[in-house]
Amino acid sequence: MEVDGTTGWFDVLHSDEPEKWHDAVVWLKNSIIGNNKQKSNAINHGVIPRLLQWMIDDEISVDLRKEAAVVLGSIAKGTLEDIHSIVNEGSVPILLKGLNSSYLKYVEACLRCLRSIFNHDTSQIHLLYEDTSIVPVLLSVLPKSVCTQECITAILSSCCKTEDHQNILYRNGAVSALAPLLSSSPYKVQMPTLKCFAVMSYENEEVSKTIAAATYNGDSLPSLFVQLLSRDKTSEMQMAVAKCLTYMYRGGAMDHQDIKLKTLSTLVRMCSKDRTLEENVEGAETLAYLIEEDPELQQIASISDHIIKTLADYLNYTDVQQINTRTGQKKDVNWGDELKQAAFKAFASLGANDEDIRKKIIETNNLMEHIVCGLNSENYKVAMAAVRCLHSLSRSVQQLRTTFQDHAVWKPLMRLVQECPEEVLKVTSSTLCNLLLEFSPGREYILESGAISILVGLTKNPDPALRLNGIWGLMNMTFQAEQKIKTQIIEALGTDQLFKLLSDLDPNVLMKTLGLLRNILTNKLHIDSIMSLYGNQIMQAVVFILEGDHSTQVKEQTLCILANIADGDQAKSFIMENEDVLKKLMNYMLHTNTNLQIAATFCIFNLVWSEEEGAYTRQAKLRDLGVQKLLQQLLSTNDSTLFDKVKNALQQFT
């Protein structure tokens, strides 16, 4: 068939001459292969709607529909703009509908196009899950050919983004459908299959346990994974398997020591200099996740293959590399930033629990300078990883008193606390809490930078973890603090908010609020001054807790607050003039829990201490109430601590 020039072929594609369409599509297919300029030209000539029109027309021959899908798939391998053009024309629903065809070549062409689209544009993922028939169709088509296996596993690994997605795949039998692909499939099928298992199990306990319990041909899936972890496999495959095993372990599905150690060993190996930069980054990030909550693995990792020195070298890398993306475009990758954030994450996990490991990490050349630079980085990932690292290291009292003194880490941290998004505010504010301890050198600067109002703001946050960090920070701030700081905190918090925190459903928030009150009410002068200003509200709060349905620990902390109040010179009167509180103390002296008896008795001791003014009058009142008799009864206790407290209190009565 003779056609006059390129424009002529486009005219034929849009013509009403069906007998010429096939040749025109074949010409189009051949002209755009590997040629992004021609793909853009074809899009500008309106070929995408024309191809889709044929694909939805059941009257059109299935061979022409297949050729249309092939051309669409070729365009989808072009630039991101080309992919967006395909998506914006509504191609994804049509391609998904094509999977129901009985003609395998057409199904494969639709799948190849979908794979290219979902590799780079995830805006249409919802279409896979909104129609409940799509996932079963994908899984039923999966075993048809190597092409369907390769494409569907790649599609699922790109499109499993949420817990809902994981659960839909799991409930439709994805685990048993994917299992056979691990053993004898070609490499190009095994790799996306491993990625599928990884994304399905990530932070999903139910799916992780299902994968761990699954078998194929008598072998458990974890044992098949371990076979693919061997050193004769490619680094890419070892990394993919290590991710699967890491996610299953963190999902609570697998605690086999041998498999954990093999996974750890693989990930440490991926961090070494002879691996690619991409493997270095992925290896360190996955290692950080594997050991994050396991002190034993942290210990083993810290002495594996000089890992701390290896990670330290990451921090000195500065190159930016230009790479080719799958769509043929150039992309700058700042490997310096990528390696830094990976190293910070790994250091954070390594030093999460052990003081000696933290010391080794901190002794790394210029680490604190790197952390300060990281906190100031414009790259969000680097800044957040630096916060995580700082948070881990700030758990060390020794380092807070020494290394941290020489580096102004609190300056960028205070900025981040005020600017960072809520999902990372937890770790940022938690780090701030550690830096607010009494012996922290940055405490004064942090106070001057508005920390009180920031922390008070956090106590009002709907997220209980952030409320906890807010009140925890205030509690740390009041530990051995000057009176003016304590007064500023009470004024900023306000009694209404204090009562809200004492009514908080999270027991941790309640305990830290009581800890704050206890810290505020230390030092006789402070106790008297603060009670003279806020005594009625504080006593109301104490009674509120003692009368509530709370744990023994909460009641004990509240009685300790009363004991502190009883230690004040004038503050004592708030207890002595409140017969209801005195009777409550007597009830707790007879409580079945010894710790509550001890706390109540210590409060009585402070009230009757004979060397303080007005002691005789207080003793007489408590004697009349029957407190002395109660103390005499308690001398029969078998608990030595309670006995000593009772004995000391009785000795004060004259």
Side-chain angles (χ1 to χ4, degrees), residues 162-178:
T162 68
E163 189 179 354
D164 280 345
H165 297 166
Q166 292 171 326
N167 292 336
I168 289 168
L169 293 176
Y170 154 66
R171 286 176 194 137
N172 278 284
V175 174
S176 55
L178 293 167

Side-chain angles (χ1 to χ4, degrees), residues 86-139:
I86 293 172
V87 170
N88 293 338
E89 292 289 352
S91 62
V92 173
I94 294 168
L95 289 161
L96 289 171
K97 188 182 175 188
L99 304 182
N100 291 299
S101 171
S102 57
Y103 184 38
L104 183 59
K105 294 292 180 189
Y106 177 52
V107 171
E108 289 176 343
C110 289
L111 284 170
R112 280 194 292 268
C113 187
L114 285 166
R115 176 181 60 180
S116 296
I117 290 171
F118 287 129
N119 256 339
H120 303 285
D121 185 331
T122 53
S123 65
Q124 305 293 298
I125 283 178
H126 60 281
L127 296 173
L128 259 72
Y129 301 100
E130 284 174 358
D131 181 343
T132 55
S133 69
I134 299 292
V135 170
V137 166
L138 283 167
L139 295 177

Side-chain angles (χ1 to χ4, degrees), residues 30-80:
N30 292 334
S31 70
I32 66 173
I33 290 174
N35 190 326
N36 284 349
K37 188 176 178 183
Q38 285 287 50
K39 288 173 186 177
S40 297
N41 187 35
I43 291 170
N44 292 333
H45 277 87
V47 301
I48 294 175
R50 185 55 166 156
L51 296 170
L52 293 172
Q53 191 180 9
W54 285 335
M55 287 170 67
I56 58 174
D57 189 347
D58 291 337
E59 301 299 316
I60 300 293
S61 74
V62 73
D63 193 49
L64 180 60
R65 280 189 275 157
K66 184 260 293 181
E67 290 295 343
V70 168
V71 172
L72 206 60
S74 182
I75 295 172
K77 289 181 178 174
T79 65
L80 280 174

Side-chain angles (χ1 to χ4, degrees), residues 331-507:
K331 177 185 172 186
D332 284 341
V333 176
N334 188 328
W335 285 111
D337 279 356
E338 287 297 308
L339 288 161
K340 275 189 187 72
Q341 62 87 26
F344 286 145
K345 286 175 184 171
F347 280 144
S349 291
L350 281 163
N353 289 287
D354 188 274
E355 190 66 31
D356 290 336
I357 298 175
R358 285 189 204 117
K359 191 169 183 290
K360 283 182 196 170
I361 293 169
I362 283 178
E363 284 169 358
T364 297
N365 248 354
N366 303 319
L367 176 70
M368 294 306 290
E369 284 90 340
H370 284 299
I371 289 178
V372 171
C373 287
L375 292 170
N376 284 310
S377 174
E378 291 179 8
N379 183 318
Y380 172 75
K381 268 172 75 177
V382 174
M384 289 310 103
V387 170
R388 280 181 59 182
C389 185
L390 182 64
H391 178 244
S392 180
L393 299 177
S394 70
R395 290 176 177 144
S396 164
V397 170
Q398 180 61 30
Q399 301 308 332
L400 280 175
R401 283 177 168 154
T402 53
T403 311
F404 280 51
Q405 197 155 355
D406 303 325
H407 301 88
V409 291
W410 49 85
K411 291 182 182 177
L413 185 69
M414 283 300 292
R415 178 181 55 78
L416 286 169
V417 167
Q418 295 170 78
E419 295 175 4
C420 70
E422 197 147 299
E423 67 264 22
V424 290
L425 190 52
K426 288 176 191 174
V427 68
T428 314
S429 55
S430 187
T431 310
L432 180 61
C433 287
N434 291 347
L435 294 182
L436 282 167
L437 287 165
E438 177 268 337
F439 40 76
S440 170
R443 180 160 140 158
E444 196 173 324
Y445 175 88
I446 294 169
L447 282 167
E448 289 169 1
S449 302
I452 292 175
S453 62
I454 292 168
L455 293 168
V456 168
L458 287 178
T459 68
K460 299 172 183 175
N461 195 288
D463 185 334
L466 289 175
R467 288 202 303 280
L468 178 62
N469 282 352
I471 197 66
W472 201 328
L474 292 171
M475 186 188 83
N476 283 354
M477 204 183 281
T478 54
F479 179 69
Q480 295 184 2
E482 297 171 22
Q483 187 182 323
K484 67 174 184 179
I485 293 172
K486 295 178 178 180
T487 307
Q488 282 172 20
I489 288 170
I490 296 176
E491 286 174 356
L493 195 59
T495 49
D496 285 350
Q497 182 59 15
L498 180 66
F499 274 95
K500 281 180 186 172
L501 293 167
L502 291 172
S503 308
D504 202 293
L505 295 175
D506 186 329

Side-chain angles (χ1 to χ4, degrees), residues 71 84 153 271 308 368 405 540 551 637 640:
V71 172
H84 294 328
T153 49
C271 297
I308 291 175
M368 294 306 290
Q405 197 155 355
Q540 195 181 342
S551 67
T637 180
S640 59

